[in-house]
Amino acid sequence: GYFGAHVIKVEPPQKGDPLRHLRDIDPKTGTSLWWRTYGRNRQCITVDLRKEAGRDLIRQLAHGSVDVVCENFRPGVMEGWGLGPEDLPSNIVWSRISGYGQTGPK
């Protein structure tokens, strides 16, 4: 977002990103000071990806103006939800982050 990209961060319902509540909390807002740095220049939305309505919303975004998807679920989770690279438009650039890569430790 620092260089002009429109960044949309998808967060789970209820608490949102865990970093929002990590360590020092701003008493005025109840938000972590870490989140103030990490979350700036982003538009955040709450989506329950475990529900079909939430997954439909992501599909609508993907078929609209999404250029890049960064995700950090366990390998296969996005595909199980029907939101993997084969399910979304082919022009989207994917970044996948996991502790052991997409095939696990060797």
Side-chain angles (χ1 to χ4, degrees):
Y2 290 113
F3 300 107
H6 179 202
V7 178
I8 301 172
K9 174 149 178 22
V10 177
E11 297 185 30
Q14 313 305 321
K15 296 181 180 181
D17 190 298
L19 198 56
R20 286 183 179 272
H21 310 287
L22 182 67
R23 302 197 60 166
D24 298 327
I25 303 293
D26 181 343
K28 293 178 185 174
T29 63
T31 300
S32 160
L33 299 176
W34 287 97
W35 177 255
R36 295 232 181 257
T37 301
Y38 175 73
R40 66 185 193 185
N41 294 326
R42 298 173 189 214
Q43 177 184 9
C44 298
I45 61 173
T46 301
V47 178
D48 190 346
L49 294 174
R50 288 172 271 168
K51 296 184 178 177
E52 189 60 34
R55 294 189 294 268
D56 284 342
L57 177 60
I58 298 303
R59 287 184 195 100
Q60 289 173 17
L61 285 170
H63 288 282
S65 60
V66 171
D67 296 316
V68 178
V69 171
C70 298
E71 63 94 356
N72 63 343
F73 292 105
R74 289 182 322 276
V77 170
M78 294 288 281
E79 286 79 2
W81 286 334
L83 298 173
E86 300 297 323
D87 306 303
L88 300 180
S90 61
N91 63 316
I92 293 177
V93 176
W94 281 78
S95 173
R96 305 189 98 168
I97 304 160
S98 67
Y100 295 106
Q102 294 299 300
T103 60
K106 295 186 181 195

